[in-house]
Amino acid sequence: AQSVTQPDIHITVSEGASLELRCNYSYGATPYLFWYVQSPGQGLQLLLKYFSGDTLVQGIKGFEAEFKRSQSSFNLRKPSVHWSDAAEYFCAVGSNSGYALNFGKGTSLLVTP
Amino acid sequence: GAGVSQSPSNKVTEKGKDVELRCDPISGHTALYWYRQSLGQGLEFLIYFQGNSAPDKSGLPSDRFSAERTGGSVSTLTIQRTQQEDSAVYLCASSSQPAANYNEQFFGPGTRLTVL
């Protein structure tokens, strides 16, 4: 069964600094990979997704993620964070043999002035 | 357009009581999902509905949990004889295509359930 690990529970970055959130997955075939963001009191919003093709995926709000099969990783990046990026970030994996997504436990991002 | 809506946004109940949580999916979306988000645990799949087909209940944690979807639209998640470990945020999502999780799931804001 597929699974997702987000090694960092909390991350703090300064506004304007770069950001990388880590995600490792476990799945035999090419997975479907997603990053969602959850702001306080809000539902989850899709940032970006990867199914195939170009391993560097662009998403909304200036985020990007790179699929690295050799490392089983799908790390999320942003070159310059804004205070409004403070939120909980979830990596998720799906497969073509099911329909429910498997989510990581999330990484909480704090942005300091 | 309107997104996925859930009600109530917050629910506080006493141990042993039954609760009902409601989800209104995006109009026209045939697939509907319930997830549970416990503190520090990420999201846990509970149940999946696709059109008029029998739901996939494989994620329900116990027989105290049940869900129905009327008319292929609104869904209600019912928890009977609530326990303190049921305290969590219950999230509903819908998608426009069936049984294919490469399709984006649109999430509602959730219902925060607290069992005292």
Side-chain angles (χ1 to χ4, degrees):
Chain A
Q2 61 267 37
S3 64
V4 177
T5 301
Q6 294 180 248
D8 304 305
I9 298 174
H10 301 283
I11 282 187
T12 300
V13 298
S14 300
E15 190 169 16
S18 63
L19 171 70
E20 181 169 29
L21 302 182
R22 295 183 292 165
C23 173
N24 293 96
Y25 67 90
S26 172
Y27 185 59
T30 299
Y32 303 122
L33 295 162
F34 305 79
W35 274 100
Y36 281 86
V37 60
Q38 184 179 34
S39 299
Q42 303 296 314
L44 277 73
Q45 181 183 21
L46 181 68
L47 286 175
L48 46 79
K49 58 188 177 184
Y50 171 80
F51 301 144
S52 64
D54 193 346
T55 58
L56 185 62
V57 181
Q58 301 297 321
I60 63 171
K61 303 185 179 186
F63 285 93
E64 67 177 26
E66 186 171 11
F67 172 63
K68 293 185 177 180
R69 183 188 301 277
S70 61
Q71 298 178 17
S72 298
S73 69
F74 188 58
N75 294 348
L76 182 71
R77 301 194 296 248
K78 186 170 184 177
S80 177
V81 298
H82 187 263
W83 64 266
S84 60
D85 293 325
E88 189 88 14
Y89 291 81
F90 292 94
C91 183
V93 63
S95 74
N96 57 10
S97 62
Y99 31 73
L101 297 177
N102 283 303
F103 285 84
K105 294 185 177 182
T107 296
S108 178
L109 174 65
L110 176 65
V111 180
T112 59
Chain B
V4 178
S5 61
Q6 293 185 246
S7 60
S9 56
N10 282 283
K11 176 71 176 178
V12 180
T13 190
E14 295 179 346
K15 178 181 175 181
K17 300 285 189 181
D18 297 351
V19 295
E20 287 189 349
L21 313 180
R22 176 186 169 105
C23 172
D24 283 88
I26 293 172
S27 178
H29 279 193
T30 59
L32 187 147
Y33 315 76
W34 282 98
Y35 292 84
R36 178 169 69 175
Q37 184 178 20
S38 302
L39 190 61
Q41 294 299 311
L43 277 75
E44 171 191 13
F45 165 73
L46 296 178
I47 189 169
Y48 163 75
F49 293 90
Q50 172 49 48
N52 295 320
S53 302
D56 177 353
K57 307 178 182 180
S58 60
L60 294 179
S62 79
D63 58 8
R64 296 186 295 105
F65 288 71
S66 63
E68 63 178 18
R69 189 179 184 191
T70 55
S73 181
V74 172
S75 177
T76 302
L77 177 69
T78 300
I79 309 174
Q80 296 178 311
R81 304 180 303 281
T82 52
Q83 303 295 313
Q84 290 182 331
E85 60 263 30
D86 299 333
S87 296
V89 176
Y90 290 82
L91 291 166
C92 176
S94 69
S95 65
S96 60
Q97 298 294 330
N101 56 31
Y102 47 80
N103 293 307
E104 179 179 355
Q105 296 181 21
F106 294 83
F107 283 82
T111 294
R112 181 176 297 278
L113 174 66
T114 304
V115 182
L116 302 177

